[in-house]
Amino acid sequence: MDIFWIKAIIILVIFGLSLFVAMYSTWAERKVAGYMQDRPGPNRAGWGGLLQPLADAGKMFFKEDFIPAQANKWLFIAGPCLAMLTALLSSAVIPFGDTLRIDGQEIQVQGIEVNIGILWVFGIVSLGVYGVMVGGWASNNKFSLLGAIRAASQNISYELALGLSLIAVIMMTGSLSVRDIVNTQHGGGWNILFQPLGFVIFLTCAFAECNRTPFDLPECEAELIGGYHTEYSSMKLGFYLFAEYVNMFVSSCVVSALYFGGFNYPFMDKVAEALGNDATGHNIATAIGFFAFIAKALFFVFFFMWVRWTLPRFRYDQLMNLGWKSLIPLSILNIIVTGIGLMFNLRWFSWVAVVIIVAVVAVQAAMKPKAARGILEAAPVR
Amino acid sequence: MSADKIWYLLTALTIVFALAVILVRNPMYSVLCLVLTFLCLSCHYILLNAQFLAVVNLIVYAGAIMVLFLFVVMFLNLREYKEETKSTLQRVAAFVVGIAILGAIVMAVRRLQYPMPSAEKFDIRTGYVEVLGETLFLDYLLPFELVTILFFVAMVGAVMLGKREKGERHF
């Protein structure tokens, strides 16, 4: 078989996998919500409600596809398409597994291996704003426009902290390629052990970029009816909602590749040794790594749901304060501390940043008068 | 498809989108066409094997600056600015100045003796991020640092402008 066709099949599998996982995330989310709220969740369509995503898709397709009279028709259609496109593009550079050995050729289980991999993800994330903005503007509805503007400013704000927290990982690896980042974590040295603060910042920003609770301000139904997709119905709305789940899966993959070793798992060298060094053994070892990677990614998908059904929503000014006044300074601190650590060849040095932060927060909390204490600050004084 | 055919296709697309930016009536479409122009330029960078530049172009221009443009256009009340009539004098002046600038650019390009890189000497790693980083931080360190200071000043200025003044009401 030609190498081109093998690559094409791998790309198709990755594409299908992200769609499949996103599809069943909608089911899993409702199951998780049901479990947390002590109710069964979807359980009518199929065994345990397993056919529910298909039923939902069928419902979406058969609903009336409504375009408001004064809306800009083409941009109204382009909005959800852009959202879906940008969601699906970013999985191209994620290394889902090591190499497959076919006819003596090593083929990477990855869409494309480029030397700027992580920047590609970042670039596509920054383009993701367009789907929301174009859709919100084209609806010709004030609430849609407000929702779109809120979504866009949230995404832009959290992109900065996201990029800055990535820089520390890139500094430790010395490469922008996601595969290189994963390979340097081989042998148990996962980045989470060296970059605890960076991981927390990255995960928080990933939540905000995916518009997930506690940062789902763009579709805050208590204030904005439905946010940027107020006017959308039928499968166009479905695309917006589905893009969120695809984004969730992709960002889970990125988190597990950057901080949790990607397709590395404990004792993988011993497993690879036991399986032998011929083509079949190597391919089986790669497959185990692939499943380890998917398991990590699915854990983070579950984590997204866990948080959604546990935490309440932020207020918009709290969101902006968190992004600009906490996460960006903290990620800059993380970069500086990591840099000092790298200068003296101490990889664990960014734990110092964690210690500093904990100390500062503890002192601040102790100094504060008792009445002003609390998880959420009191409303700003007018 | 060979590389030069892709190049012709891309260049044609770039020019079409760039023309659309100024010819389209709706400012929203103009902004989106400009985004597409930047995407095409990024593709040109990829053809030159400069993936880093391509992605940075995408992040900075398409991802950040054009989003700000879109913000501003969204807040404009588009109906009010639809028909803006200009006097004949203005039109003639605009035409003359435009032609003059075009002529100047064409003359400049014709005079320019740009050293063409020879195919044998061409290094495929020229556009790589490693090479770019070494060039920036070894050969052009001072200009780079100056640009950094410029950005810093701009950032401080933006913060000062965005700061709430005393007695100003906030919501």
Side-chain angles (χ1 to χ4, degrees):
Chain A
M1 228 181 353
D2 198 4
I3 193 163
F4 174 79
W5 290 108
I6 299 168
K7 204 78 191 177
I9 289 170
I10 289 175
I11 290 172
L12 263 184
V13 167
I14 291 172
F15 186 70
L17 186 80
S18 23
L19 287 177
F20 181 79
V21 170
M23 185 168 118
Y24 272 94
S25 302
T26 62
W27 169 83
E29 170 129 74
R30 295 164 70 181
K31 275 289 180 193
V32 169
Y35 179 74
M36 291 195 179
Q37 298 168 350
D38 204 13
R39 56 186 174 83
N43 65 353
R44 297 292 144 178
W47 182 84
L50 269 179
L51 294 180
Q52 189 66 43
L54 295 177
D56 281 340
K59 183 198 78 171
M60 285 289 189
F61 273 117
F62 286 115
K63 276 179 131 178
E64 188 193 353
D65 193 5
F66 185 76
I67 297 181
Q70 291 293 309
N72 188 323
K73 196 178 165 209
W74 289 109
L75 292 183
F76 192 77
I77 298 170
C81 299
L82 278 174
M84 203 64 194
L85 180 77
T86 48
L88 285 167
L89 270 178
S90 41
S91 61
V93 292
I94 295 167
F96 282 85
D98 205 8
T99 52
L100 285 175
R101 208 174 282 165
I102 298 166
D103 292 344
Q105 280 173 316
E106 302 255 339
I107 297 160
Q108 293 163 337
V109 187
Q110 186 177 9
I112 38 168
E113 162 65 12
V114 278
N115 59 356
I116 41 121
I118 195 63
L119 280 183
W120 166 262
V121 176
F122 194 63
I124 295 301
V125 164
S126 66
L127 289 184
V129 189
Y130 284 106
V132 171
M133 279 182 90
V134 166
W137 182 82
S139 304
N140 196 25
N141 173 332
K142 288 204 168 58
F143 288 100
S144 297
L145 183 62
L146 281 175
I149 286 164
R150 272 164 74 136
S153 37
Q154 171 182 333
N155 283 358
I156 295 170
S157 310
Y158 277 77
E159 245 164 51
L160 297 174
L162 186 88
L164 288 173
S165 65
L166 274 178
I167 287 177
V169 173
I170 295 167
M171 276 161 68
M172 294 194 69
T173 313
S175 169
L176 291 168
S177 152
V178 189
R179 182 168 287 272
D180 285 353
I181 293 174
V182 169
N183 282 336
T184 47
Q185 299 176 60
H186 182 83
W190 291 2
N191 273 336
I192 176 73
L193 301 174
F194 309 117
Q195 287 291 331
L197 183 61
F199 166 66
V200 172
I201 295 169
F202 188 88
L203 195 67
T204 316
C205 295
F207 272 82
E209 289 294 328
C210 294
N211 299 338
R212 293 284 296 183
T213 327
F215 306 112
D216 64 341
L217 275 300
E219 44 177 276
C220 179
E221 70 274 3
E223 299 163 21
L224 285 170
I225 313 180
Y228 57 89
H229 50 57
T230 303
E231 295 283 0
Y232 279 90
S233 58
S234 182
M235 203 55 203
K236 294 205 193 79
L237 175 68
F239 264 21
Y240 269 130
L241 301 183
F242 201 61
E244 178 184 320
Y245 285 94
V246 177
N247 273 331
M248 213 163 93
F249 176 62
V250 171
S251 49
S252 305
C253 286
V254 173
V255 168
S256 41
L258 290 185
Y259 292 98
F260 283 84
F263 48 76
N264 295 308
Y265 54 95
F267 308 115
M268 65 182 296
D269 288 339
K270 286 193 179 130
V271 171
E273 215 172 280
L275 284 168
N277 204 23
D278 59 331
T280 329
H282 181 80
N283 288 351
I284 293 173
T286 301
I288 297 173
F290 173 77
F291 285 115
F293 182 78
I294 295 295
K296 287 173 198 170
L298 289 185
F299 169 76
F300 280 102
V301 171
F302 166 71
F303 188 77
F304 270 90
M305 295 168 185
W306 190 4
V307 170
R308 172 163 181 187
W309 299 104
T310 310
L311 293 182
R313 183 181 287 146
F314 275 81
R315 224 174 43 220
Y316 201 73
D317 58 323
Q318 289 169 338
L319 171 95
M320 282 295 157
N321 279 345
L322 180 72
W324 287 96
K325 294 185 184 166
S326 308
L327 293 182
I328 291 177
L330 282 183
S331 43
I332 292 173
L333 174 75
N334 191 34
I335 291 172
I336 293 169
V337 171
T338 309
I340 294 170
L342 286 178
M343 218 159 72
F344 298 108
N345 230 346
L346 302 168
R347 296 181 72 195
W348 49 267
F349 199 69
S350 56
W351 281 98
V352 172
V354 178
V355 173
I356 295 171
I357 292 159
V358 170
V360 167
V361 169
V363 168
Q364 257 187 359
M367 302 278 273
K368 248 185 192 172
K370 263 205 168 133
R373 271 187 213 169
I375 299 169
L376 301 176
E377 292 294 315
V381 185
R382 280 170 195 271
Chain B
M1 213 163 22
S2 63
D4 35 329
K5 272 184 197 158
I6 299 176
W7 187 87
Y8 279 117
L9 189 72
L10 259 181
T11 312
L13 270 178
T14 316
I15 292 172
V16 166
F17 286 133
L19 282 177
V21 174
I22 49 170
L23 294 180
V24 162
R25 286 260 153 158
N26 187 337
M28 192 77 176
Y29 286 142
S30 291
V31 171
L32 292 176
C33 284
L34 197 50
V35 173
L36 288 175
T37 315
F38 284 134
L39 285 183
C40 290
L41 285 181
S42 277
C43 294
H44 274 112
Y45 283 132
I46 289 174
L47 275 187
L48 294 171
N49 214 14
Q51 296 107 330
F52 181 73
L53 270 185
V55 171
V56 167
N57 183 39
L58 212 67
I59 294 174
V60 174
Y61 285 98
I65 292 178
M66 292 323 292
V67 172
L68 282 182
F69 271 53
L70 213 59
F71 255 80
V72 175
V73 171
M74 275 173 151
F75 281 117
L76 290 177
N77 199 349
L78 295 182
R79 301 236 164 71
E80 283 176 20
Y81 298 95
K82 227 168 198 172
E83 285 306 317
E84 220 175 292
T85 47
K86 291 193 174 74
S87 66
T88 323
L89 184 67
Q90 265 179 323
R91 284 175 191 224
V92 170
F95 182 77
V96 169
V97 171
I99 289 292
I101 291 175
L102 182 71
I105 291 173
V106 169
M107 293 282 280
V109 170
R110 282 173 67 93
R111 290 251 182 102
L112 188 70
Q113 294 289 320
Y114 189 74
M116 287 297 286
S118 61
E120 304 87 51
K121 274 189 188 169
F122 181 69
D123 183 8
I124 204 158
R125 296 179 70 254
T126 305
Y128 280 21
V129 56
E130 293 88 353
V131 181
L132 189 72
E134 273 170 16
T135 319
L136 269 185
F137 288 104
L138 293 177
D139 301 346
Y140 296 99
L141 184 61
L142 186 67
F144 182 79
E145 293 295 331
L146 288 177
V147 169
T148 321
I149 292 170
L150 195 68
F151 271 120
F152 186 66
V153 170
M155 248 161 69
V156 172
V159 170
M160 283 308 289
L161 281 178
K163 234 176 140 183
R164 226 171 257 137
E165 276 176 33
K166 216 175 170 188
E168 196 182 344
R169 219 173 137 241
H170 62 270
F171 301 96

